[in-house]
Amino acid sequence: MAEQALAPVARAWGASLGFVANFRGRWGLVTSTRQLVAELCNHYLKPTEQTASLVMAVQELLENLAKYADADGTFEFRLALDGGAPKVTIRTENASTEEHLARAIAHLERIVAAPEPLALYDEWVASSGEREGSHLGLIRLRAEAGLVLQFSSEAGRLCLEARGSVEPREALP
Protein backbone atom coordinates (compact mmCIF):
# COMPACT_ATOMS: atom_id res chain seq x y z
CA MET A 1 0.00 0.00 0.00
CA ALA A 2 1.34 3.43 -0.88
CA GLU A 3 2.09 5.85 1.95
CA GLN A 4 -0.67 8.20 0.79
CA ALA A 5 -3.18 5.34 0.77
CA LEU A 6 -2.19 4.48 4.37
CA ALA A 7 -2.87 8.00 5.67
CA PRO A 8 -6.56 7.23 6.42
CA VAL A 9 -5.50 4.02 8.18
CA ALA A 10 -3.03 5.92 10.35
CA ARG A 11 -5.70 8.49 11.21
CA ALA A 12 -8.30 5.84 12.06
CA TRP A 13 -5.99 3.48 13.97
CA GLY A 14 -3.63 6.02 15.52
CA ALA A 15 -0.45 4.31 16.72
CA SER A 16 -2.51 1.16 17.06
CA LEU A 17 -6.06 0.01 17.62
CA GLY A 18 -6.79 -2.81 20.00
CA PHE A 19 -7.09 -3.94 23.58
CA VAL A 20 -5.63 -6.17 26.27
CA ALA A 21 -7.84 -8.26 28.54
CA ASN A 22 -6.89 -10.20 31.65
CA PHE A 23 -9.09 -13.26 31.90
CA ARG A 24 -8.38 -14.06 35.53
CA GLY A 25 -11.59 -15.75 36.61
CA ARG A 26 -13.55 -14.23 33.71
CA TRP A 27 -13.82 -17.10 31.25
CA GLY A 28 -17.42 -16.18 30.51
CA LEU A 29 -16.02 -13.24 28.54
CA VAL A 30 -14.65 -15.45 25.74
CA THR A 31 -17.75 -15.02 23.56
CA SER A 32 -18.05 -11.28 24.11
CA THR A 33 -14.32 -10.80 23.47
CA ARG A 34 -14.61 -12.68 20.18
CA GLN A 35 -17.61 -10.51 19.28
CA LEU A 36 -15.65 -7.34 20.07
CA VAL A 37 -12.80 -8.47 17.81
CA ALA A 38 -15.31 -9.36 15.07
CA GLU A 39 -16.85 -5.87 15.35
CA LEU A 40 -13.42 -4.19 15.17
CA CYS A 41 -12.56 -6.27 12.11
CA ASN A 42 -15.92 -5.54 10.51
CA HIS A 43 -15.49 -1.83 11.11
CA TYR A 44 -11.83 -1.40 10.13
CA LEU A 45 -10.96 -4.27 7.77
CA LYS A 46 -12.23 -5.31 4.36
CA PRO A 47 -14.81 -8.11 4.60
CA THR A 48 -12.60 -10.79 3.08
CA GLU A 49 -12.01 -14.48 3.70
CA GLN A 50 -8.76 -13.42 5.37
CA THR A 51 -10.68 -11.26 7.85
CA ALA A 52 -13.07 -14.11 8.62
CA SER A 53 -10.06 -16.39 9.19
CA LEU A 54 -8.61 -13.80 11.55
CA VAL A 55 -11.77 -13.89 13.69
CA MET A 56 -11.58 -17.71 13.63
CA ALA A 57 -7.97 -17.48 14.87
CA VAL A 58 -9.07 -15.25 17.73
CA GLN A 59 -11.77 -17.77 18.66
CA GLU A 60 -9.22 -20.61 18.68
CA LEU A 61 -6.82 -18.69 20.92
CA LEU A 62 -9.56 -17.62 23.31
CA GLU A 63 -10.80 -21.21 23.57
CA ASN A 64 -7.25 -22.36 24.34
CA LEU A 65 -6.99 -19.77 27.10
CA ALA A 66 -10.29 -20.90 28.56
CA LYS A 67 -9.42 -24.57 28.31
CA TYR A 68 -5.77 -24.70 29.37
CA ALA A 69 -4.89 -21.63 31.46
CA ASP A 70 -4.41 -22.02 35.18
CA ALA A 71 -5.57 -19.05 37.28
CA ASP A 72 -5.09 -16.29 34.73
CA GLY A 73 -4.51 -15.57 31.11
CA THR A 74 -3.97 -12.45 29.05
CA PHE A 75 -5.33 -11.82 25.57
CA GLU A 76 -4.17 -8.97 23.35
CA PHE A 77 -5.53 -7.94 19.95
CA ARG A 78 -3.91 -5.11 18.01
CA LEU A 79 -4.19 -3.59 14.55
CA ALA A 80 -1.22 -1.34 13.74
CA LEU A 81 0.96 -0.03 10.97
CA ASP A 82 4.20 -1.96 11.17
CA GLY A 83 6.96 -0.86 8.81
CA GLY A 84 4.34 1.01 6.81
CA ALA A 85 2.10 -2.03 6.38
CA PRO A 86 -1.20 -2.75 8.16
CA LYS A 87 -0.74 -5.74 10.48
CA VAL A 88 -2.56 -7.66 13.16
CA THR A 89 -0.99 -9.04 16.31
CA ILE A 90 -2.82 -11.48 18.55
CA ARG A 91 -1.02 -12.44 21.74
CA THR A 92 -1.89 -14.74 24.59
CA GLU A 93 0.00 -15.47 27.78
CA ASN A 94 -0.96 -17.92 30.47
CA ALA A 95 0.25 -20.36 33.08
CA SER A 96 -0.70 -23.98 32.75
CA THR A 97 0.15 -27.39 34.11
CA GLU A 98 3.50 -28.94 33.15
CA GLU A 99 1.64 -31.57 31.14
CA HIS A 100 -0.34 -29.04 29.10
CA LEU A 101 2.73 -26.83 28.58
CA ALA A 102 4.85 -29.74 27.36
CA ARG A 103 2.13 -30.85 24.95
CA ALA A 104 1.53 -27.28 23.70
CA ILE A 105 5.24 -26.64 23.15
CA ALA A 106 5.71 -29.90 21.21
CA HIS A 107 2.64 -29.03 19.14
CA LEU A 108 3.81 -25.46 18.50
CA GLU A 109 7.34 -26.52 17.58
CA ARG A 110 5.91 -28.77 14.90
CA ILE A 111 3.50 -26.10 13.63
CA VAL A 112 6.11 -23.32 13.50
CA ALA A 113 8.65 -25.56 11.74
CA ALA A 114 6.19 -26.91 9.15
CA PRO A 115 7.29 -25.79 5.67
CA GLU A 116 3.79 -26.56 4.37
CA PRO A 117 1.23 -25.73 7.10
CA LEU A 118 -1.69 -26.87 4.96
CA ALA A 119 -0.13 -30.31 4.48
CA LEU A 120 0.37 -30.64 8.25
CA TYR A 121 -3.21 -29.52 8.82
CA ASP A 122 -4.49 -32.13 6.35
CA GLU A 123 -2.37 -34.80 8.06
CA TRP A 124 -3.76 -33.85 11.48
CA VAL A 125 -7.35 -33.72 10.19
CA ALA A 126 -6.94 -37.24 8.78
CA SER A 127 -5.71 -38.54 12.15
CA SER A 128 -8.00 -36.46 14.39
CA GLY A 129 -10.38 -39.37 15.00
CA GLU A 130 -7.51 -41.37 16.47
CA ARG A 131 -6.99 -39.15 19.54
CA GLU A 132 -8.98 -37.34 22.20
CA GLY A 133 -9.68 -33.80 21.01
CA SER A 134 -8.85 -32.63 17.51
CA HIS A 135 -5.77 -30.54 18.45
CA LEU A 136 -6.37 -28.57 15.24
CA GLY A 137 -6.88 -25.09 16.68
CA LEU A 138 -3.30 -23.83 16.55
CA ILE A 139 -2.46 -25.29 13.14
CA ARG A 140 -5.52 -23.50 11.77
CA LEU A 141 -3.81 -20.20 12.59
CA ARG A 142 -1.09 -20.98 10.05
CA ALA A 143 -2.97 -23.17 7.56
CA GLU A 144 -6.23 -21.20 7.28
CA ALA A 145 -5.48 -17.71 8.61
CA GLY A 146 -1.95 -17.52 7.20
CA LEU A 147 -0.58 -16.08 10.44
CA VAL A 148 3.05 -16.33 11.51
CA LEU A 149 3.38 -17.93 14.95
CA GLN A 150 6.02 -17.34 17.60
CA PHE A 151 6.04 -18.68 21.13
CA SER A 152 8.11 -18.80 24.27
CA SER A 153 7.81 -20.54 27.59
CA GLU A 154 9.35 -19.47 30.85
CA ALA A 155 8.59 -20.24 34.48
CA GLY A 156 5.47 -22.27 33.64
CA ARG A 157 3.99 -19.58 31.37
CA LEU A 158 3.35 -19.87 27.65
CA CYS A 159 3.39 -16.76 25.49
CA LEU A 160 2.01 -17.18 21.96
CA GLU A 161 1.98 -14.49 19.30
CA ALA A 162 0.26 -14.67 15.92
CA ARG A 163 0.98 -11.94 13.37
CA GLY A 164 -0.10 -11.23 9.84
CA SER A 165 -1.02 -8.66 7.23
CA VAL A 166 -4.54 -7.24 7.04
CA GLU A 167 -6.49 -5.25 4.46
CA PRO A 168 -8.03 -2.04 5.86
CA ARG A 169 -11.32 -0.78 4.50
CA GLU A 170 -11.02 1.80 1.74
CA ALA A 171 -13.19 4.34 3.55
CA LEU A 172 -12.28 4.42 7.21
CA PRO A 173 -14.19 6.41 9.82
Side-chain angles (χ1 to χ4, degrees):
M1 251 185 178
E3 192 172 313
Q4 187 176 6
L6 288 174
V9 174
R11 280 193 302 277
W13 294 3
S16 68
L17 173 69
F19 64 95
V20 177
N22 183 313
F23 279 77
R24 182 177 304 212
R26 298 179 186 98
W27 297 115
L29 296 177
V30 168
T31 299
S32 57
T33 301
R34 181 210 171 275
Q35 289 170 339
L36 174 59
V37 169
E39 286 183 35
L40 284 171
C41 290
N42 184 49
H43 195 72
Y44 289 101
L45 302 179
K46 286 183 180 178
T48 63
E49 188 174 313
Q50 175 197 31
T51 301
S53 292
L54 178 60
V55 174
M56 171 277 303
V58 165
Q59 179 71 31
E60 293 292 350
L61 289 170
L62 287 168
E63 286 177 3
N64 281 352
L65 272 178
K67 193 172 188 181
Y68 298 114
D70 280 358
D72 72 298
T74 303
F75 173 83
E76 178 180 356
F77 178 83
R78 190 153 320 280
L79 297 172
L81 292 177
D82 182 6
K87 303 278 185 177
V88 64
T89 301
I90 310 163
R91 187 176 179 279
T92 62
E93 184 175 341
N94 63 280
S96 191
T97 65
E98 284 185 39
E99 178 186 342
H100 284 139
L101 281 174
R103 193 167 49 230
I105 289 168
H107 210 61
L108 284 163
E109 285 173 342
R110 200 158 166 215
I111 292 167
V112 169
E116 296 291 332
L118 193 52
L120 181 60
Y121 176 73
D122 289 343
E123 176 187 325
W124 285 0
V125 166
S127 67
S128 65
E130 301 169 12
R131 61 182 178 268
E132 184 179 326
S134 72
H135 301 287
L136 296 173
L138 293 174
I139 187 61
R140 290 182 75 197
L141 276 66
R142 280 202 68 207
E144 291 181 21
L147 298 171
V148 174
L149 298 180
Q150 295 177 316
F151 71 95
S152 62
S153 177
E154 189 175 316
R157 295 190 67 79
L158 178 65
C159 179
L160 175 62
E161 185 173 283
R163 298 176 56 93
S165 298
V166 291
E167 291 184 64
R169 286 189 175 272
E170 299 293 329
L172 292 166

